[in-house]
Amino acid sequence: MRKLVSKAFTSRAVERLRPEIERITGELIDGLSDDDTVDLLDAFAFPLPIRVICLLLGVPIEEQENFKAWSKALVSGDSPEAAAAATTEVVAYLGELIERKRRVPTDDVLAALVSAHDVDKQLTEVELVSTAYLLFVAGFETTLNALGNGTLHLMRNPDQWEALREDRSLLPGAVEEFLRLESPLKHASFRCATQSLTIGDVEISAGDFVLLAIASANRDPLRFDDPHSLDVRRPTDGGHLAFGHGIHHCLGAPLARVEVRAAFGALLDAFPAMRLAVDPDELRWRTSTIIRGLDSLPVRLNRR
């Protein structure tokens, strides 16, 4: 199933999308109000990945506002009932959109999945809709949190913000540092031990479920010096696990990197004096065992 969509997420394919991603980013930056305070998550970090994943899936522009409402219900963590209702509505919409693409083929990832089902018989109908749903959720959730978490740490470390302002060549490494320091996902997907083993002083029996803590691995003092600090100059060859590892390595990693780099570059250009509008201790993290992300991120843009 990964092979069916992998071509859309290669570094070369994503590079072709870069101009459109930068255009969307610029539009969102221009749309930010000159008000004293703005919630950067709601006004910028949230709509950017939504618009990009809708672009990939071939969702008409006039229908993308629905995705913004649905995704808010899915990620807020405040109401399981609202999340369940949003899931039902997204699945129904994707089913209807798939039927439209059957009637009028388009050039996008969802149309390629439809062809894989209808022509090549590589997917069942359930797999077709489920894969589209997964791409939608995975396409915005982690990028949203990478933007929010990275901005928070930069605001808490003004010297690091200034370093990026003065030297944009640090930006690619800085994005990797954001992902390492405050990983958007706390742990990897469930693993099951196929045989008994011992890790440290812990006995794991065959058949046991295991959760691998990405957040812990990315702050391992045996791998990273001063692991709890933000350092945009940190060498990137140490490797982090924010995108997973092996056959489960995140398919959308190249896309996420381009989006996050474009976003921070635009923020640095437009709002070089941006600062937090609240005490960092007042910020609330979402109640999730999987996601590491903020509820909101009030900032003063200080455009002028």
Side-chain angles (χ1 to χ4, degrees):
M1 292 172 71
R2 284 172 65 96
K3 288 179 181 178
L4 294 175
V5 296
S6 61
K7 290 181 180 179
F9 295 97
T10 63
S11 296
R12 181 177 297 180
V14 170
E15 275 302 311
R16 289 197 295 269
L17 284 174
R18 183 188 293 274
E20 189 66 14
I21 291 171
E22 291 177 344
R23 184 191 65 78
I24 292 171
T25 303
E27 284 184 3
L28 292 171
I29 289 287
D30 292 341
L32 290 177
S33 169
D34 279 332
D35 292 344
D36 184 46
T37 301
V38 63
D39 180 358
L40 199 67
L41 293 190
D42 186 64
F44 181 67
F46 199 86
L48 172 59
I50 289 289
R51 288 181 60 176
V52 172
I53 197 61
C54 282
L55 175 69
L56 278 171
L57 291 176
V59 176
I61 294 176
E62 63 273 14
E63 298 172 13
Q64 292 181 10
E65 195 62 30
N66 293 330
F67 275 74
K68 184 177 179 180
W70 290 328
S71 53
K72 278 187 176 295
L74 290 171
V75 306
S76 68
D78 294 331
S79 171
E81 295 77 15
T87 298
T88 300
E89 292 176 18
V90 171
V91 169
Y93 172 82
L94 289 172
E96 190 270 333
L97 184 60
I98 285 168
E99 288 303 319
R100 273 191 270 164
K101 291 182 182 297
R102 282 192 170 114
R103 295 192 296 269
V104 182
T106 51
D107 183 17
D108 51 63
V109 174
L110 187 53
L113 290 173
V114 171
S115 177
H117 171 275
D118 294 356
V119 179
D120 301 325
K121 310 301 180 185
Q122 293 177 274
L123 290 173
T124 67
E125 188 73 20
V126 170
E127 288 171 337
L128 171 57
V129 177
S130 297
T131 302
Y133 178 84
L134 175 63
L135 289 173
F136 163 59
V137 174
F140 77 86
E141 177 65 44
T142 50
T143 305
L144 158 66
N145 293 320
L147 288 171
N149 299 350
T151 302
L152 171 62
H153 283 287
L154 284 174
M155 296 294 95
R156 297 184 73 168
N157 297 273
D159 61 315
Q160 302 292 294
W161 176 263
E162 293 303 318
L164 289 178
R165 279 186 58 195
E166 295 172 5
D167 184 359
R168 297 306 173 81
S169 70
L170 295 173
L171 193 52
V175 170
E176 303 306 312
E177 176 70 345
F178 304 149
L179 292 165
R180 180 202 68 81
L181 183 63
E182 203 76 66
S183 305
L185 295 176
K186 296 178 182 179
H187 59 73
S189 53
F190 284 96
R191 296 325 200 248
C192 182
T194 57
Q195 62 187 44
S196 298
L197 71 159
T198 301
I199 299 179
D201 58 356
V202 177
E203 299 288 336
I204 300 174
S205 301
D208 282 353
F209 280 108
V210 179
L211 273 180
L212 305 178
I214 293 174
S216 174
N218 283 345
R219 294 195 180 195
D220 183 353
L222 299 180
R223 175 58 71 93
F224 305 101
D225 293 333
D226 194 13
H228 304 298
S229 297
L230 176 70
D231 182 2
V232 297
R233 294 184 175 87
R234 188 186 299 274
T236 58
D237 55 3
H240 61 73
L241 296 179
F243 289 122
H245 180 70
I247 63 171
H248 294 289
H249 186 267
C250 177
L251 196 66
L255 178 63
R257 286 185 167 107
V258 168
E259 287 183 69
V260 177
R261 289 175 191 174
F264 278 108
L267 288 171
L268 287 159
D269 286 340
F271 314 116
M274 184 173 71
R275 294 292 183 267
L276 280 177
V278 297
D279 187 304
D281 293 335
E282 295 178 17
L283 296 172
R284 190 162 67 96
W285 295 92
R286 283 164 45 198
T287 53
S288 170
T289 58
I290 301 174
I291 299 301
R292 179 65 171 173
L294 293 161
D295 269 335
S296 63
L297 185 59
V299 297
R300 292 190 178 91
L301 297 176
N302 298 325
R303 186 192 296 267
R304 290 183 292 273

